[in-house]
Amino acid sequence: MESQRSILVIGLALVSFLLWQQWNIDAAPKPVTAVTESSQNTGSSAADLQLTTADTEQSETAAVVATAKTISVNTDVLQLNIDSRGGDIVALELPAFELNKGQGDAYPLMRRKDDFEYVAQSGLIGRDGPDDGRNARPVYNSVQSSYHLADGAEQLIVPLTFDYNGLHIEKRFTFTAGHYDVRVDYLITNQSAEVKTVQPYQHLVQTIESGAKSSMMMPIYRGTAYGTSSERYTKYSFDDVKDKNLLEATQGGWVAMLEHYFVAAWVPETAAENQLYSKIFNGKAVIGAKGPAVNIQPGSEITLTSTFYAGPKDQDKLATIANGLDLTVDYGFLWFISQPLFWLLTTIQGFVVNWGLAIICITLIVKGGMYPLTKVQYESMAKMRNLKPKIEELQARYKDDRQKMGPAMMELYRKEKVNPMGGCLPMIVQMPIFLALYWVFVESVELRHAPFMLWINDLSAQDPYYVLPILFGISMFLMQRLTPMQVTDPMQQKIMMFMPVAFSVFFLWFPSGLVLYWFVSNLISLAQMLYIYRGMEKKGLHTKKA
């Protein structure tokens, strides 16, 4: 097997993988259109229906009824609006992340507009909860209309209060400097003479947009996910939500809505037995968690706590918030390779202080680590090439007796100490490493808008002048010239000649960080091939076509 054939197999495997990935996103058979309200909730209890139907209907009502007050909150990393009706987070921007590089516009993660809604809701249901569906959602009182984290301050507390049926309720948001996670407490005092029962819930609501902004080169998932005590991370796409309501009981757990580099998540009480749920309502997906019912004795006070996160997919920070939440940085089935590669990439970047240089360094390390396999691959191909006359002789001798040809070929390989799969196995090992690095470059928010040098000012975007794809094509052409393939079939010859051009065109839309990796990898491969071939020629092995 020749090196070009290996490259072709790798390329075809990559294209096939990306096509399969995109087919699952855009073209896979969709579930049957969402069923009616009653049939969707088959098997759910009355309490489940009360939460998933009544509360969502209240959110629809809230969009129609004028809100009492919008409370703005600004910290060093978050800019958000809280609707005093329900105490919902109805808008949230991330000032540290630009929507468009160089324009200074903060990334709008959550918002409520006429044609799109993406909000975070929480409340109290149950027999005595103000969000139980019997009334319009509570309108909380707030002393201020705006809150700002002062310079040098560590925390900012935003208290909202509401009195309802003998209960004094304070919904308290606690923001911490430099943190995207927000602590949400319900401080409930029973001022009546009877036992009160409430049940906390938290959920995310998002309009399902038609037409995913994704491509084969940059597959982007937008949908929901959740984690339980038994399954740390499970994707639950909007189509899954349409097809079947989620209903999972778990201790702790979390629910989230994901987009390319960012995530919004609710993490309920970790020690409580919670119920995770989902629902489709009026073109909107809902995913949430409901805690156990809590009895409040007369004159007593309780505190119910949850955590809300809205920000970048920072693996280290997410791992400290909830078990499995860091897996929202989704590396797919090769996560066990991608995670250490990401760690290595970030460690290198800490020294070189440039993500492009870090990519070059990790490429040198990966290619250097795989050098023994590369050496085995090229030496095996050279040995097979030298055996070609003997193989052709056997094929001519046993052309009419294939049962004898097989054993004769194996005996030849054994005698000459040649492994016919020696050229393929190293390639099979290298392919998962490439795919793992591909997902690191695609999923890592650290590379978003990260500059390299000269004309490359965003490693997560395509090369604006297509220089890197062209350089990659040239390097691939040089690799072909260095190890010409023994091909007699005219069609295969044309395919091999066209490959550098095809791959250059194919890489035009790839993130420049990934193309940079491939180009540097090819340069290193060229150097390794020259070195290996020189050593093989000294051993009398031919490295070129006779």
Side-chain angles (χ1 to χ4, degrees), residues 183 229 268 506:
R183 177 173 171 146
S229 56
F506 184 64

mmCIF file of all heavy atoms in Angstrom, residues 183 229 268 506:
data_model
loop_
_atom_site.group_PDB
_atom_site.id
_atom_site.type_symbol
_atom_site.label_atom_id
_atom_site.label_comp_id
_atom_site.label_asym_id
_atom_site.label_seq_id
_atom_site.Cartn_x
_atom_site.Cartn_y
_atom_site.Cartn_z
ATOM 1 N N ARG A 183 -26.091 31.863 41.867
ATOM 2 C CA ARG A 183 -26.844 31.132 42.895
ATOM 3 C C ARG A 183 -28.236 31.749 43.011
ATOM 4 O O ARG A 183 -28.389 32.971 43.138
ATOM 5 C CB ARG A 183 -26.127 31.198 44.246
ATOM 6 C CG ARG A 183 -26.887 30.530 45.370
ATOM 7 C CD ARG A 183 -26.076 30.481 46.634
ATOM 8 N NE ARG A 183 -26.880 30.027 47.764
ATOM 9 C CZ ARG A 183 -26.414 29.288 48.759
ATOM 10 N NH1 ARG A 183 -25.150 28.914 48.765
ATOM 11 N NH2 ARG A 183 -27.212 28.926 49.750
ATOM 12 N N SER A 229 -27.560 10.937 37.792
ATOM 13 C CA SER A 229 -26.566 10.259 38.624
ATOM 14 C C SER A 229 -26.011 9.026 37.937
ATOM 15 O O SER A 229 -24.890 8.596 38.230
ATOM 16 C CB SER A 229 -27.200 9.860 39.966
ATOM 17 O OG SER A 229 -28.359 9.063 39.749
ATOM 18 N N PRO A 268 -30.198 21.856 39.937
ATOM 19 C CA PRO A 268 -31.002 21.899 41.161
ATOM 20 C C PRO A 268 -30.205 21.380 42.357
ATOM 21 O O PRO A 268 -29.018 21.053 42.247
ATOM 22 C CB PRO A 268 -32.182 20.986 40.824
ATOM 23 C CG PRO A 268 -31.624 20.011 39.835
ATOM 24 C CD PRO A 268 -30.598 20.768 39.035
ATOM 25 N N PHE A 506 -11.752 21.499 -0.538
ATOM 26 C CA PHE A 506 -12.497 20.979 0.597
ATOM 27 C C PHE A 506 -12.163 21.751 1.877
ATOM 28 O O PHE A 506 -13.038 22.015 2.712
ATOM 29 C CB PHE A 506 -12.161 19.497 0.762
ATOM 30 C CG PHE A 506 -12.942 18.802 1.839
ATOM 31 C CD1 PHE A 506 -14.310 18.659 1.756
ATOM 32 C CD2 PHE A 506 -12.290 18.272 2.946
ATOM 33 C CE1 PHE A 506 -15.032 18.006 2.745
ATOM 34 C CE2 PHE A 506 -13.007 17.621 3.944
ATOM 35 C CZ PHE A 506 -14.377 17.490 3.835
#
